[in-house]
Amino acid sequence: MRKTWSGSRIDLHIDLDASKGRRSALESALRDAIRQGRLAAGTLLPSTRGLATELGLSRGTVTAAYDQLVEEGYLTTRPGSGTTVADIPPETVPSPSATPRPAGPRHDLRPGLPDVSDFPARAWLAATRRVVAGSRSVVLGAGDPQGRLELRTALADYLGRTRGVVTSPDRIVITSGYYQSLRLLSAVLAQNGARAVAVEDPSHNVFRGVVQHAGLATAPMPVDAHGACVDALTHEVDAMLLTPSHQYPTGVPLHPSRRQAAGAWTRTTGGLIVEDDYDGEYRYDRQPVGALQGIAPDRTVYCGTASKTLGPALRLAWMALPPQLVKPVVEAKQQADLYTESLSQLILADLITNHAYDRHIRATRLRYRRRRELLLTRLSGVKGLTAHGVPAGLHTLVTLPADWPPEDQVLSLCARQGLALRGLSELHIDPRGRPAGLLIGFAAPPEHAYRPALDALFSTVQELVASLK
């Protein structure tokens, strides 16, 4: 029979085998629960009186069962401390369909990832206390598909102040990430009759896939030393997807003349610009370049995220929309997942309002600048490797010499040394005849692990160079 300990400090369902005596059934049930790990080491069990009442047994039966399991080493008891589960390893029963989870890389140099060990935990906890101390119905009640007004208000001020974005709280929509932002926009565009979107080449292949999944064609815009060639676009498109502050993956900003060309294009054609400002806060040699959205706020969707500043697991991003897109995007958001989790929105709003978010970005900006400089210093000692892009962002693109092994072989060798990087080829729409390269992230490792990661990387590079002689 199934019993539950509703009055104890833990909730646990146990089966008492009716074919056994009561004491034996209780001993077996507790023994199995401990062996299987359902009762963890150190768990405080109910008193003999409490458990006897819950299970409808005599107190003597429960006392005898406890005593037996103490003798067998499954339980420990100390006067005044009650009876607890002993520290014994649980049984492990492998599942025939289970696949071992691969271990993470020893050295994480993937692009686009921040150092989450730098997460502003103290400021976040202080903001959490302030938020939770408020009205519980406000904090934990049903959310708004558009996002919490507190965060939208804070963002409207912050984005205007730091990125030159022209917007207001009623034109901002909160999402769970840029991936969702782009998916909502693509769906709305397709529903409104759009057929094609211009994308940078190279660009993030996952996001190209999001656009294509909505039924939209993608037209390539070549990228050169001045960013996307928006003035050379020959396809008829309904929207243009750009990373103007720090082109992904080449790292160059969009030239002022091309910014003007993009603004002229949207005014002439009525097309939409989607601006992915994925790491615009991080510029190391000057003030960050302002958002492109300021040139044409009524024809540009500005997209930002907390993934690069705080951490990707927070799942917080935002769109500053032209007025005509707010309603259809909010409706699409409601259909997608109703609304984004509220508590984190309120905490981020508090951080922004109290300028803790600004302080965190300034501090990480200094650390990441030093890391980038160290990476470039190490790169300068290797003949043939060429770094690209302005001092910005969380990664550096390095193109490989023509006489090196193919890119996939270089990545495989790095992986065998425990290094996680990303290759350039998969980011090209057609990689044939295009240069091979590596995207080296310099932000992800904790501070103490960054130099060992570079040591491992350049040891591998030297091994490659030696093999070519």
Side-chain angles (χ1 to χ4, degrees), residues 18 67 78 85 109 221 238 362 394:
D67 290 345
R78 286 181 297 177
V85 176
L109 296 175
M221 288 184 294
D238 303 282
R362 286 198 299 270
L394 307 182

Side-chain angles (χ1 to χ4, degrees), residues 171-233:
R171 290 172 55 173
I172 293 177
V173 173
I174 308 301
T175 68
S176 64
Y178 176 64
Y179 184 95
Q180 186 184 50
S181 296
L182 185 57
R183 188 164 188 174
L184 297 175
L185 286 171
S186 299
V188 169
L189 287 172
Q191 290 165 7
N192 289 342
R195 301 178 66 181
V197 174
V199 297
E200 297 166 330
D201 183 19
S203 62
H204 204 304
N205 54 338
V206 170
F207 298 139
R208 291 200 305 268
V210 170
V211 173
Q212 293 163 353
H213 187 266
L216 300 168
T218 51
M221 288 184 294
V223 174
D224 61 18
H226 297 301
C229 300
V230 298
D231 45 0
L233 186 63

Side-chain angles (χ1 to χ4, degrees), residues 379-380 382-387 398-401 404 438 458 461:
L379 284 169
S380 66
V382 183
K383 185 178 179 180
L385 293 183
T386 304
V398 178
T399 49
L400 304 179
W404 272 38
L438 302 175
F458 285 96
V461 167

